[in-house]
Amino acid sequence: MPAENDLNWKSMKIAVIGGDEREQEIARLAACDGATVVAYGFPWPPEGVSGVTLASSVEAAFDDADFALFPIPGISAEGALFAPASPLPIVPSSGLLARMKKPASIILGWADENLKAAAEANGISLQEYEWDQDLMYLRGPAIVEGLLKIVIEKTRITIHSANVCVVGQGTIGSLLTRTLIALGARVSVAARNPVQRASAFAAGAVPRELDELPELASGLDMLFSTVPHQIVGASVLSRLRPGTLVVDLAGPPGGIDLPSATGLGLNAVWARGLGRRAPVTVGASQWIGIRKRIESTWAQHAGQVVRF
């Protein structure tokens, strides 16, 4: 392979697999850089995507690909990629990965154990970027805007003066907290990390430890969880008033026991893929990170050392 500075995009095949309208923009930008881009499993617009070929099958998309780009939203419990427009679940099996050119790389939000094993068996590198803070901040406003749309549509009260709790204070949780405060909500923040609780206090929220959630629950109008493992279970949900809006913003397996929430008469929503609200903006921000990883991998294959 050529060195990074001489990277010839025209010699590269990129497969964009699964996703939604964000992947349309990612595929278009990859093609604009000169790569051969094939797509499968995201919504295909009637006018097509400039420079991108729609593969006849998922197998054809993987064939001889140097890079495969998978969507950020997490892999399901069954091992399938986020691909709501695909006629069948897309499970990135060892057989599919074996069709890629070697050396090859998969760039994605995050990988489950089955994908990690399949990649290792085929000598394919995995590059996960779900937790990259710079990219989270770039797509964070679109996620928060998408959540506000859900809140407005699913409630009969204003955000202003509502009693709300945000569970978790990572990148998205902190952006959401500041937005809710700016809109006049009475915001409590439940987080394990004392530095995050202190930051929430400085922003104007009431900091709480996670074990305070049950006693806090009865007075809430809305509860939002951004934590990607289950924090909000029956001990909290059973104390919420019927009809309370409960929104899980985390990828699989999620942070809220949503079946229990629904059974208790709560207004429960799993708000996955909210970046879809602004696919051009979010797709472009994701491409910034993906492009860096492609360039880095290409250089590593050429024996280069890359520093950002």
Side-chain angles (χ1 to χ4, degrees):
M1 287 185 175
E4 181 191 6
N5 290 340
D6 300 320
L7 191 155
N8 180 6
W9 287 87
K10 291 183 179 179
S11 67
M12 184 189 308
K13 178 181 176 181
I14 298 176
V16 183
I17 310 294
D20 51 37
E21 290 83 358
R22 289 169 287 185
E23 275 62 37
Q24 293 178 11
E25 182 66 7
I26 291 169
R28 186 189 71 80
L29 291 171
C32 284
D33 276 328
T36 297
V37 183
V38 295
Y40 186 84
F42 64 65
W44 191 253
E47 69 279 10
V49 179
S50 179
V52 180
T53 300
L54 177 62
S56 58
S57 66
V58 67
E59 291 82 7
F62 275 98
D63 281 342
D64 295 320
D66 297 287
F67 293 91
L69 310 184
F70 293 171
I72 277 188
I75 297 173
S76 73
E78 294 74 32
L81 301 181
F82 176 73
S86 176
L88 295 171
I90 300 175
V91 178
S93 64
S94 182
L96 279 178
L97 270 55
R99 306 177 80 101
M100 298 180 71
K101 189 182 294 183
K102 305 300 186 296
S105 184
I106 296 172
I107 302 173
L108 74 165
W110 60 269
D112 66 3
E113 293 305 316
N114 289 333
L115 177 54
K116 290 177 181 177
E120 184 177 0
N122 285 282
I124 293 172
S125 65
L126 294 175
Q127 301 187 45
E128 301 169 280
Y129 66 103
E130 166 70 6
W131 298 279
D132 278 16
Q133 265 198 327
D134 56 342
L135 294 180
M136 288 286 272
Y137 276 120
L138 286 170
R139 70 180 188 270
I143 292 171
V144 172
E145 286 181 21
L147 175 62
L148 294 180
K149 178 176 182 290
I150 289 173
V151 172
I152 291 166
E153 291 177 345
K154 294 285 186 179
T155 62
R156 301 178 67 182
I157 62 173
T158 59
I159 295 171
H160 187 274
S161 295
N163 292 311
V164 307
C165 179
V166 178
V167 181
Q169 279 296 280
T171 307
I172 300 303
S174 61
L175 284 174
L176 176 58
T177 294
R178 293 203 296 268
T179 301
L180 292 171
I181 290 169
L183 291 172
R186 301 186 184 101
V187 183
S188 295
V189 165
R192 180 176 286 113
N193 187 315
V195 175
Q196 291 180 339
R197 293 198 300 271
S199 177
F201 171 77
V206 178
R208 303 279 190 169
E209 296 196 18
L210 291 177
D211 59 10
E212 295 182 74
L213 276 171
E215 67 178 83
L216 179 66
S218 62
L220 294 177
D221 300 303
M222 308 171 195
L223 185 149
F224 308 104
S225 178
T226 64
V227 180
H229 53 272
Q230 194 169 113
I231 293 291
V232 183
S235 64
V236 177
L237 298 171
S238 62
R239 302 189 186 197
L240 294 169
R241 297 189 299 270
T244 300
L245 178 65
V246 176
V247 183
D248 195 339
L249 288 95
I256 298 176
D257 183 352
L258 290 176
S260 293
T262 301
L264 289 165
L266 302 173
N267 190 359
V269 180
W270 193 358
R272 295 183 66 191
L274 288 182
R276 191 174 186 174
R277 192 215 75 69
V280 173
T281 300
V282 176
S285 70
Q286 287 178 219
W287 177 243
I288 292 171
I290 291 168
R291 195 180 196 280
K292 283 184 180 179
R293 283 159 177 78
I294 289 174
E295 291 173 344
S296 175
T297 301
W298 199 264
Q300 288 168 10
H301 288 164
Q304 304 290 310
V305 175
V306 178
R307 295 180 177 88
F308 293 120

